[in-house]
């Protein structure tokens, strides 16, 4: 009977220690994972913003160049019509 009681206490202690070590090992892992998640999220946001700003500037330049070319064409037609008249 005494031996059975010691074995039962040892089993509870073993389970308690396993749970304690599991919690203690998962805590740093979770903290590190959250740190890297936040860091990568911020980096991805900065990269996306930079990419979109680059695209915006490129498209703005393309639109300005298109307007200038059409303005040049119109001025050419106006000059030729003016010379004919």
């Amino acid at each position: 009977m005494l031996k059975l009681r010691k074995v039962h206490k040892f089993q509870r202690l073993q389970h308690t220690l396993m749970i304690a070590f599991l919690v203690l090992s998962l805590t740093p892992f979770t903290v590190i994972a959250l740190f890297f998640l936040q860091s990568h999220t911020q980096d991805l946001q900065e990269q996306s913003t930079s990419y979109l700003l680059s695209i915006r500037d490129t498209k703005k330049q393309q639109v300005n160049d298109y307007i200038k070319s059409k303005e040049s064409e119109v001025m050419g037609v106006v000059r030729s019509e003016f010379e004919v008249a």
Side-chain angles (χ1 to χ4, degrees), residues 21-22 27 29 39-40 47 59 69 80:
F21 283 123
L22 181 65
T27 302
F29 175 75
S39 175
H40 288 294
Q47 285 180 359
K59 293 299 178 182
S69 71
S80 67

Side-chain angles (χ1 to χ4, degrees), residues 41-56:
T41 301
Q42 184 178 3
D43 186 43
L44 185 60
Q45 184 178 9
E46 289 174 5
Q47 285 180 359
S48 298
T49 302
S50 175
Y51 176 72
L52 289 173
L53 287 174
S54 173
I55 295 274
R56 180 195 67 183

Side-chain angles (χ1 to χ4, degrees), residues 3-84:
K3 188 175 183 181
L4 185 61
R5 218 181 233 171
K6 284 184 180 181
V7 170
H8 185 63
K9 283 184 179 182
F10 181 71
Q11 289 284 334
R12 282 193 304 168
L13 179 63
Q14 185 180 13
H15 287 13
T16 305
L17 285 175
M18 283 180 21
I19 291 171
F21 283 123
L22 181 65
V23 168
L24 288 175
S25 65
L26 286 179
T27 302
F29 175 75
T30 305
V31 169
I32 291 170
L34 289 174
F35 171 74
F36 279 112
L37 177 65
Q38 191 271 338
S39 175
H40 288 294
T41 301
Q42 184 178 3
D43 186 43
L44 185 60
Q45 184 178 9
E46 289 174 5
Q47 285 180 359
S48 298
T49 302
S50 175
Y51 176 72
L52 289 173
L53 287 174
S54 173
I55 295 274
R56 180 195 67 183
D57 293 341
T58 302
K59 293 299 178 182
K60 181 180 176 182
Q61 187 62 41
Q62 287 176 350
V63 167
N64 286 338
D65 291 345
Y66 178 77
I67 290 173
K68 285 179 184 176
S69 71
K70 290 301 174 185
E71 183 180 354
S72 176
E73 286 179 24
V74 168
M75 292 306 283
V77 170
V78 168
R79 285 187 190 123
S80 67
E81 290 295 324
F82 183 68
E83 290 175 3
V84 168

